Amino acid sequence: MIQPKTIALIITTGILVSLPHFLNPYWVDVLNNIGIYAILGLSLNIIVGHTGLFNLGHASFYAVGAYTAAILNTKYQIPILWLIPVCGLSAGLFAMIIARPIIHLRGDYLCIVTIGVNEIVRIALINNVFGLTGGSNGIFGIDRPNVFGMTIRTPMEFYYLILVFGAVTIFLFRQLEYSRFGRALNYLREDETAAEGSGINTAHYKLAAFVVGAVWAGMVGNIYAAKMTIISPESFAFWESVIIFAIVILGGSGSIPGVILGAVLIVGLPELFRDLASARMFFFGAAMVAMMIFRTQGILPPRPRQYALPQNHASEEGGK
Amino acid sequence: MIDMLLEIVDLHVSYGNIEVLHGINLKVAQGEIVTILGANGAGKSTTLLTISGLVRAAKGAIYFDKTPLHKLHAHKVVKEGIAQVPEGRRVFGTLTVQENLNLGAFVSRDSARVKRTREWIHQLFPILAERRHQLAGTLSGGEQQMLAIGRALMSEPRILLLDEPSLGLAPLLVKTIFQTLRQINETGVTVLLVEQNARAALKLANRGYVLELGKIVLEDEAKALISNPEVQQAYLGGIA
């Protein structure tokens, strides 16, 4: 028997796959942006939603990934999609170096430091560090990605690339949520001392969450560089971090559907309001304020895990 | 002399510039129930937190079955077989009873064993079995205390450290919980109990220490402490 969940999944997949054929390239590109931000949001969700670490510098990891892709591609002509693991690795390494000394900081303090890191990265990029980043002009002439001999060029082609990447992300992060690792993150978010006292190495898990989130943001940076073919420091300013953060909080931190909905609203709504010209940000801001008053836990907060009530002790479900 | 399971030697602990423990010596033998009595701010909780590795010792040593604990991080201490029931329970309110218990077994990767331990805890505290799918935050204070003890037992500790398990509970519940502690002790788990409820603690314990302003001032069999006039005056409300 097919479960209703499976049917919903098939229908959603069908809609997502056929959607770009009904839209003009402009709206397909909007969807691409939504997709990129959704994946960024999901990567930040590991850090903010699951572990409860306030990271307002996520764009810096995204930047490290994008610049790694751009530099290696333009200087050594390495096909851009091959660089995805390298971008993840460089962003993860960067996160490990900067997070190691600050990971013990509490909520608001950590938040301030991550804002600082974001600014340092942006200014370093503008100042053309090591003569590699091209200063405030950034890097241009990045190759189009190539999949099985086909060059990805149009928004619609990018749409499918991002869709596949997004699907893989959702699948993996779902596995992560229900793993021992995911549970450890949730425990330490709820009460760090009690978690530590129960045998969880909290410093280790906090750092690991940071690195996992950064690795993913770095890989998204690669896709972004390939899509834009030109990147500059202004694409990775503090404002980007704020948007990604808002996606997680607004949508429902800790919940995958919530974060995706957050990306749709935060990236998509300003496009819908484009007719209102300069007043659109006003409506956007008003919507956000209303949200925070009426639904502080986000639009789609994670549901408490469901358990089937056992009929007797023998059928009791252990673990999860 | 019996081999000591837990031995604290000349332990000094400071918070910033202020030293709160001025050289404590304490011993717990395998299978014993030992209680630490003392007023607010005497350093009882600090002693337990230092054993657990959540607070670092400035000087002195803690040995657990000859392993030096004072050099280990808190999460490693749990693996050695020490579990703490923290003051004020600190259960995870937004998680279910079952998830709370599973956290206690985080150090164990043997799921069959975890299940067996959980069944044992369900026997000790049947209410936890009944409410296993309920959020811990919706439990009553006494039930939360039972859950906190259950969570600590999930790591199958050799010694259980309890910080004020009677805090904020009705006298009848205190009695139930202390009876269960005896039951737990009878299965071979050593117990180190910090309490303000001196009478209940001394009735349960084999031996006791009295801590005053960061120093051990008295150490004796629990029976002797109950009839000690000084203890009666200070902790048992005058006439025993």
Side-chain angles (χ1 to χ4, degrees), chain A residues 103-125:
Chain A
I103 204 75
H104 64 278
L105 294 177
R106 276 205 342 261
D108 29 9
Y109 300 102
L110 183 71
C111 188
I112 293 168
V113 176
T114 54
I115 294 172
V117 168
N118 200 147
E119 276 304 281
I120 291 168
V121 167
R122 187 182 65 92
I123 293 167
L125 293 175

Side-chain angles (χ1 to χ4, degrees), chain A residues 197-198, chain B residues 78-79 81-84 101 103-108 117 121 150-158:
Chain A
S198 303
Chain B
V78 181
K79 281 190 193 140
I82 296 172
Q84 168 147 202
L101 288 180
L103 163 69
F106 194 80
V107 288
S108 171
T117 318
I121 288 160
R151 183 178 67 188
L153 288 175
M154 283 298 284
S155 66
E156 299 183 68
R158 295 171 63 194

Side-chain angles (χ1 to χ4, degrees), chain A residues 180 183-184 187 190-191 193-201 205 305 307-310 313-314 316-320, chain B residues 54 74-75 78 84 90 92 94-96 98-100 102-104 106-109 115 118-119 122 129 132-133 151:
Chain A
R180 186 178 149 86
R183 280 186 294 136
Y187 289 137
E190 295 297 327
D191 189 330
T193 315
E196 177 94 44
S198 303
I200 295 176
N201 185 346
Y205 276 101
R305 282 172 200 164
Y307 298 87
L309 269 179
H313 273 273
E316 180 196 339
E317 208 242 327
K320 315 267 153 51
Chain B
L54 292 162
H75 60 94
V78 181
Q84 168 147 202
R90 303 189 80 147
F92 295 90
T94 57
L95 302 176
T96 64
Q98 179 113 314
E99 285 171 314
N100 269 278
N102 287 341
L103 163 69
F106 194 80
V107 288
S108 171
R109 285 170 186 273
K115 202 171 168 198
R118 196 168 52 219
E119 272 158 17
H122 284 168
R132 63 176 167 271
H133 300 304
R151 183 178 67 188

Side-chain angles (χ1 to χ4, degrees), chain B residues 103-177:
Chain B
L103 163 69
F106 194 80
V107 288
S108 171
R109 285 170 186 273
D110 180 351
S111 61
R113 201 160 157 184
V114 169
K115 202 171 168 198
R116 239 177 321 167
T117 318
R118 196 168 52 219
E119 272 158 17
W120 174 54
I121 288 160
H122 284 168
Q123 279 169 23
L124 286 175
F125 302 110
I127 191 81
L128 296 184
E130 235 171 80
R131 311 224 148 156
R132 63 176 167 271
H133 300 304
Q134 203 171 316
L135 292 185
T138 63
L139 298 180
S140 75
E143 289 161 357
Q144 286 189 17
Q145 186 63 58
M146 294 174 193
L147 178 56
I149 296 172
R151 183 178 67 188
L153 288 175
M154 283 298 284
S155 66
E156 299 183 68
R158 295 171 63 194
I159 186 166
L160 187 65
L161 314 178
L162 296 117
D163 197 349
E164 304 266 1
S166 74
L167 193 76
L169 299 185
L172 202 64
L173 263 173
V174 175
K175 212 171 165 187
T176 321
I177 284 184

Side-chain angles (χ1 to χ4, degrees), chain B:
Chain B
M1 205 184 100
I2 335 153
D3 244 7
M4 288 299 156
L5 183 65
L6 182 79
E7 189 160 5
I8 299 180
V9 184
D10 192 32
L11 182 72
H12 293 252
V13 176
S14 307
Y15 292 124
N17 289 330
I18 299 160
E19 191 176 85
V20 291
L21 291 184
H22 317 288
I24 283 190
N25 293 290
L26 190 147
K27 286 174 187 173
V28 183
Q30 171 73 45
E32 263 191 317
I33 302 182
V34 173
T35 182
I36 305 176
L37 306 177
N40 277 337
K44 307 185 298 291
S45 297
T46 304
T47 309
L48 287 196
L49 289 173
T50 316
I51 297 172
S52 290
L54 292 162
V55 171
R56 295 260 131 221
K59 212 181 120 195
I62 304 171
Y63 298 100
F64 181 67
D65 208 5
K66 299 184 180 69
T67 315
L69 283 188
H70 51 283
K71 290 176 187 158
L72 294 182
H73 281 289
H75 60 94
K76 292 258 172 64
V77 170
V78 181
K79 281 190 193 140
E80 292 293 323
I82 296 172
Q84 168 147 202
V85 181
E87 186 173 3
R89 312 186 268 271
R90 303 189 80 147
V91 296
F92 295 90
T94 57
L95 302 176
T96 64
V97 169
Q98 179 113 314
E99 285 171 314
N100 269 278
L101 288 180
N102 287 341
L103 163 69
F106 194 80
V107 288
S108 171
R109 285 170 186 273
D110 180 351
S111 61
R113 201 160 157 184
V114 169
K115 202 171 168 198
R116 239 177 321 167
T117 318
R118 196 168 52 219
E119 272 158 17
W120 174 54
I121 288 160
H122 284 168
Q123 279 169 23
L124 286 175
F125 302 110
I127 191 81
L128 296 184
E130 235 171 80
R131 311 224 148 156
R132 63 176 167 271
H133 300 304
Q134 203 171 316
L135 292 185
T138 63
L139 298 180
S140 75
E143 289 161 357
Q144 286 189 17
Q145 186 63 58
M146 294 174 193
L147 178 56
I149 296 172
R151 183 178 67 188
L153 288 175
M154 283 298 284
S155 66
E156 299 183 68
R158 295 171 63 194
I159 186 166
L160 187 65
L161 314 178
L162 296 117
D163 197 349
E164 304 266 1
S166 74
L167 193 76
L169 299 185
L172 202 64
L173 263 173
V174 175
K175 212 171 165 187
T176 321
I177 284 184
F178 274 52
Q179 269 164 5
T180 317
L181 287 180
R182 185 180 295 286
Q183 244 177 295
I184 293 166
N185 176 251
E186 277 160 7
T187 67
V189 181
T190 309
V191 174
L192 179 58
L193 173 71
V194 155
E195 260 297 345
Q196 295 227 30
N197 189 338
R199 191 183 307 274
L202 286 174
K203 270 188 195 155
L204 177 72
N206 308 111
R207 287 188 309 119
Y209 289 83
V210 177
L211 199 58
E212 256 171 37
L213 299 173
K215 279 189 188 129
I216 302 265
V217 292
L218 211 61
E219 150 183 13
D220 212 335
E221 298 288 315
K223 284 191 195 96
L225 284 177
I226 287 189
S227 49
N228 181 313
E230 277 177 61
V231 174
Q232 282 183 2
Q233 187 64 36
Y235 303 106
L236 298 173
I239 324 117

